[in-house]
Amino acid sequence: MKVTLSALNTSESSFTPLVVIELAQDVKEETKEWLKNRIIAKKEDGGAQLLFRPLLNKYEQETLENQNLYLVGASKIRMLLGAEAVGLVKECNDNTMRAFTYRTRQNFKGFDDNNDDFLTMAECQFIIKHELENLRAKDEKMIPGYPQAKLYPGKSLLRRLLTSGIVIQVFPLHDNEALKKLEDSWYTRFALKYQPIDGIRGYFGETIALYFGFLEYFTFALIPMAVIGLPYYLFVWEDYDKYVIFASFNLIWSTVILEVWKRGCADMTYRWGTLLMKRKFEEPRPGFHGVLGINPITGKEEPLYPSYKRQLRIYLVSLPFVCLCLYFSLYVMMIYFDLEVWALGLHENSGSEWTSVLLYVPSIIYAIVIEIMNRLYRYAAEFLTSWENHRLESAYQNHLILKVLVFNFLNCFASLFYIAFVLKDMKLLRQSLATLLITSQILNQIVESLLPYWLQRKHGVRVKRKMQALKTDIDATLYEQVILEKEMGTYLGTFDDYLELFLQFGYVSLFSCVYPLAAAFAVLNNFTEVNSDALKMCRVFKRPFSEPSASIGVWQLAFETMSVISVVTNCALIGMSPQVNAIFPESKADLILIVVAVEHALLALKFILAFAIPDKPRHIQVKLARLEFESLEALKQQQMKLVTENLKEEPKESGKEKAT
């Protein structure tokens, strides 16, 4: 029998606060009451059936400053039913991974009716976020107390409250004790060691754990490239024909590390349960809007939006805008080359030490401009992708990543391609590549970690002084924690972190035969990046909501595409070298044919390696096949049971017919 929320008591007088909702200071009382009722109402009445209370009671509001802050939690039963609703996968007593169901809860390892640790805090916060985001308007025409804030059936209430400025923010609380344990095993001791990936997953969720796992894996994978590249840089700088071995190793390396990562990723996500989570029928994203109707696949009531309208927005608005931005990026690049010519001319005329330093200034300025343009374009891309109104979060992320990757690739690498294949100036290419790589790494460390950490430390000191100045008898520990965390910056996801690694991978792989020292700089940067990223996750930003992930998603395809482009680039650079050209002094056509043939052979080798290395280890394939077989067998048994019951009922019905 299916267990429903309405059949169980999911209310508790007290609860553990997991999520904080901050309202604007001037929000009307009727709006607060309406929001509270929608959050605590039963599911069949359109509510979330969660627990909700203000941070301060009436006495505390008189003593402390009232911040319009509210705490959200859920009963244990509500959490377990929510885990079933979102499709969490847990380990069973027979060591298999299965989707959790409340009816079969006793079959799962670690479950006990008296134990509250079966679901991690991150999983509980994810469930609450899922329920809050799926609160949708039904009969309301407007938000009570705000006639201008219109509502229509299917509109996400939380998103409408956020865009209207009624809700300032929604964020999950840190668990200070668990956070301290994680910090001690993660970044407080600066030692060369593996990261506690399982601990990161338990606290921050799978998406962030996969990023740190990939960062660690990519850093260690770069070490062979750095070790081999160092002697090439020191001893055989101008002999480009000797770089054939190095470039070939680079191409094989880039393929093998990506394929091996997929195997390790599958192993991790199977152990975490996210490899088995069914995302095919995921709920619409909170920003999705449309006319309320019935989904023909799931049968659920949700907003519906015609796909042709979305396609029109993509091809008539988004695509022209992206092309315009790419044109502007190329225009800025040409200004950079004009500055290079000016600096070179000034140095040739004077020849002083000051002008020799000035040669690097255009590249540094261009690197800073690139970072600024990338960030401005990111905001525009987010707005456009949201306006396109994608139903699923995965579709939204794919379109956003595609827009940003195209622009960032052109913005960061167009000048290098121009120098390499139009100007054919290898000295300038080395100089520009080194300057862009080092400058971007320094800027990212400052902007992403050091500056936010410094600002957060100053804010923390102010909050502690304010709390010490309050003469109150109440326990203000939770109050202080919420006040401190609500002013922290919001972590916007792993997008920028993956993008930084993607561009770094491009600098290392695209022009390896010109600047083999790039891998060494990348390794040095990434060792500090691990600690700075860990610091910002734990102490700079609010705790992000956990998000289940089975892989690094579209970024895997992005890295693989970059490795294919690197084959073409490195073969072309080797073919342009004076030593290779000296072999074919008269027939350039033969040289081009040989370079193209080598390039095709290396591409074929890459695809053979990719095919030969399975994406999932053998033991994972066996476990997945066994689960699929057991699911089919269970379905057959269920069908046979129904047939048997129908056969038993047929004689009774025929007997009744004879009697009549």
Side-chain angles (χ1 to χ4, degrees):
M1 185 179 79
K2 185 178 180 181
V3 181
T4 60
L5 283 167
S6 59
L8 294 167
N9 180 16
T10 58
S11 62
E12 288 183 4
S13 57
S14 62
F15 64 91
T16 302
L18 295 172
V19 174
V20 177
I21 298 179
E22 182 185 5
L23 302 182
Q25 286 296 319
D26 57 349
V27 172
K28 299 177 181 178
E29 288 299 323
E30 61 177 310
T31 309
K32 295 179 185 178
E33 192 64 24
W34 168 78
L35 177 60
K36 173 186 175 182
N37 291 335
R38 287 303 301 267
I39 290 175
I40 67 176
K42 292 185 176 182
K43 292 286 286 184
E44 59 263 31
D45 297 330
Q49 208 161 342
L50 300 173
L51 303 176
F52 181 87
R53 70 170 176 85
L55 173 64
L56 303 177
N57 59 36
K58 290 183 179 180
Y59 168 70
E60 292 170 337
Q61 288 176 11
E62 295 173 358
T63 309
L64 299 173
E65 182 182 353
N66 185 20
Q67 299 279 344
N68 249 358
L69 295 162
Y70 295 84
L71 305 175
V72 183
S75 66
K76 180 180 177 181
I77 297 175
R78 180 69 185 90
M79 284 298 183
L80 294 174
L81 291 169
E84 179 179 348
V86 299
L88 287 186
V89 175
K90 290 287 189 177
E91 187 176 5
C92 293
N93 292 324
D94 60 356
N95 297 323
T96 60
M97 304 296 295
R98 298 180 188 279
F100 176 80
T101 60
Y102 184 81
R103 183 175 55 85
T104 61
R105 60 191 182 279
Q106 299 294 344
N107 296 335
F108 288 86
K109 186 176 290 187
F111 180 84
D112 192 311
D113 288 324
N114 300 319
N115 182 15
D116 295 332
D117 297 331
F118 178 69
L119 296 176
T120 66
M121 189 175 181
E123 290 171 336
C124 293
Q125 289 168 337
F126 168 68
I127 292 168
I128 290 178
K129 172 176 176 278
H130 175 268
E131 296 297 341
L132 290 175
E133 287 181 342
N134 281 283
L135 280 174
R136 297 188 179 272
K138 286 186 174 291
D139 302 325
E140 303 98 330
K141 302 296 181 183
M142 64 178 186
I143 295 175
Y146 294 87
Q148 73 278 8
K150 302 295 182 184
L151 291 173
Y152 56 86
K155 181 72 175 179
S156 171
L157 294 181
L158 183 61
R159 185 175 180 83
R160 189 70 182 95
L161 289 165
L162 286 166
T163 55
S164 302
I166 299 170
V167 172
I168 303 299
Q169 59 180 332
V170 179
F171 62 93
L173 278 172
H174 274 292
D175 182 344
N176 290 326
E177 185 178 344
L179 182 62
K180 185 67 172 63
K181 290 180 180 178
L182 178 62
E183 287 178 319
D184 290 340
S185 62
W186 194 2
Y187 71 91
T188 52
R189 299 185 184 93
F190 292 94
L192 188 63
K193 60 180 181 179
Y194 290 108
Q195 298 178 90
I197 301 299
D198 287 331
I200 298 169
R201 176 255 172 179
Y203 192 84
F204 289 109
E206 290 79 16
T207 298
I208 292 174
L210 281 175
Y211 162 70
F212 280 100
F214 182 75
L215 173 60
E216 178 182 85
Y217 172 81
F218 182 57
T219 302
F220 281 105
L222 280 168
I223 292 177
M225 287 292 297
V227 171
I228 295 174
L230 194 61
Y232 274 93
Y233 177 82
L234 295 174
F235 303 120
V236 287
W237 181 250
E238 296 296 339
D239 297 333
Y240 289 103
D241 55 327
K242 296 181 181 178
Y243 284 99
V244 175
I245 298 175
F246 180 72
S248 301
F249 174 78
N250 184 340
L251 303 176
I252 297 172
W253 166 85
S254 64
T255 303
V256 171
I257 66 163
L258 294 175
E259 293 300 318
V260 172
W261 162 253
K262 284 195 283 189
R263 291 171 59 85
C265 181
D267 196 25
M268 276 193 300
T269 53
Y270 176 82
R271 190 174 70 252
W272 296 341
T274 52
L275 187 64
L276 301 171
M277 284 188 71
K278 304 297 182 185
R279 309 293 290 177
K280 188 183 296 183
F281 306 119
E282 60 183 301
E283 296 279 352
R285 52 185 292 272
F288 177 67
H289 59 271
V291 179
L292 198 64
I294 303 297
N295 187 314
I297 299 174
T298 62
K300 293 182 179 180
E301 189 179 45
E302 65 178 49
L304 302 177
Y305 187 78
S307 60
Y308 76 89
K309 289 186 179 180
R310 184 181 303 111
Q311 299 301 320
L312 287 175
R313 291 185 175 191
I314 292 173
Y315 291 110
L316 297 183
V317 179
S318 297
L319 184 59
F321 175 79
V322 172
C323 293
L324 181 64
C325 290
L326 294 178
Y327 172 78
F328 180 74
S329 175
L330 292 174
Y331 182 77
V332 172
M333 182 189 74
M334 299 313 297
I335 295 176
Y336 155 66
F337 284 120
D338 290 340
L339 288 175
E340 285 283 3
V341 172
W342 171 78
L344 183 62
L346 192 65
H347 177 66
E348 289 176 349
N349 291 333
S350 63
S352 64
E353 292 184 2
W354 182 83
T355 55
S356 64
V357 175
L358 190 65
L359 289 174
Y360 291 91
V361 172
S363 296
I364 295 173
I365 294 174
Y366 185 53
I368 297 172
V369 170
I370 283 176
E371 290 296 321
I372 295 172
M373 289 172 61
N374 286 343
R375 295 182 186 277
L376 291 176
Y377 176 81
R378 167 75 183 276
Y379 295 128
E382 286 178 346
F383 173 79
L384 275 178
T385 311
S386 179
W387 178 71
E388 290 166 6
N389 197 26
H390 296 279
R391 177 183 176 273
L392 301 180
E393 183 65 27
S394 55
Y396 170 84
Q397 290 294 334
N398 289 344
H399 281 80
L400 175 62
I401 290 172
L402 179 62
K403 289 186 184 71
V404 176
L405 278 186
V406 169
F407 182 80
N408 277 262
F409 182 85
L410 187 74
N411 206 23
C412 295
F413 298 116
S415 61
L416 300 178
F417 280 102
Y418 185 83
I419 295 170
F421 301 114
V422 178
L423 300 181
K424 299 181 180 180
D425 188 341
M426 296 301 127
K427 185 177 180 180
L428 180 60
L429 179 61
R430 291 195 299 272
Q431 173 188 314
S432 299
L433 178 58
T435 307
L436 286 174
L437 176 64
I438 297 170
T439 306
S440 64
Q441 289 178 347
I442 294 173
L443 286 175
N444 283 326
Q445 293 280 7
I446 294 173
V447 174
E448 291 184 6
S449 299
L450 297 180
L451 181 61
Y453 179 70
W454 178 73
L455 294 174
Q456 180 56 31
R457 285 290 299 270
K458 290 189 67 177
H459 169 68
V461 171
R462 288 198 304 269
V463 170
K464 289 185 180 297
R465 286 176 180 172
K466 189 174 181 179
M467 295 302 301
Q468 291 171 358
L470 288 171
K471 295 180 179 179
T472 176
D473 297 329
I474 66 171
D475 181 12
T477 305
L478 178 61
Y479 176 79
E480 180 182 352
Q481 179 186 353
V482 173
I483 295 300
L484 184 64
E485 289 184 22
K486 84 180 186 70
E487 297 296 334
M488 287 180 170
T490 300
Y491 182 65
L492 299 176
T494 56
F495 185 96
D496 289 327
D497 298 312
Y498 277 119
L499 181 62
E500 184 181 347
L501 292 180
F502 172 78
L503 297 176
Q504 187 184 93
F505 182 69
Y507 287 129
V508 171
S509 62
L510 288 177
F511 304 99
S512 59
C513 61
V514 175
Y515 191 62
L517 206 58
F521 280 115
V523 170
L524 292 175
N525 175 78
N526 288 358
F527 275 125
T528 59
E529 184 83 12
V530 169
N531 291 290
S532 62
D533 282 354
L535 176 68
K536 76 180 182 184
M537 291 302 307
C538 296
R539 292 298 171 186
V540 175
F541 292 116
K542 297 182 187 73
R543 182 179 187 173
F545 281 104
S546 168
E547 286 292 339
S549 295
S551 66
I552 63 174
V554 72
W555 290 105
Q556 181 77 35
L557 178 62
F559 277 89
E560 290 172 354
T561 304
M562 180 68 82
S563 69
V564 171
I565 297 173
S566 70
V567 174
V568 181
T569 305
N570 282 281
C571 288
L573 287 172
I574 292 172
M576 288 168 54
S577 67
Q579 291 80 6
V580 175
N581 274 267
I583 303 174
F584 303 92
E586 298 179 357
S587 178
K588 297 299 180 184
D590 292 342
L591 173 60
I592 294 173
L593 289 174
I594 290 175
V595 170
V596 170
V598 171
E599 173 235 326
H600 279 60
L602 289 172
L603 284 175
L605 178 61
K606 280 178 67 68
F607 290 123
I608 290 170
L609 283 172
F611 179 77
I613 302 174
D615 292 348
K616 298 180 181 68
R618 177 63 181 168
H619 69 281
I620 299 295
Q621 294 179 24
V622 171
K623 290 177 180 178
L624 292 176
R626 186 183 302 159
L627 280 175
E628 186 177 357
F629 172 75
E630 290 175 358
S631 299
L632 290 173
E633 287 296 307
L635 183 61
K636 287 179 183 179
Q637 290 178 6
Q638 187 177 5
Q639 290 174 341
M640 288 296 294
K641 185 177 180 181
L642 290 173
V643 171
T644 305
E645 290 176 354
N646 290 334
L647 289 174
K648 288 179 180 179
E649 291 176 359
E650 282 182 4
K652 295 179 182 179
E653 293 176 357
S654 61
K656 290 179 181 179
E657 290 174 0
K658 288 179 180 180
T660 55

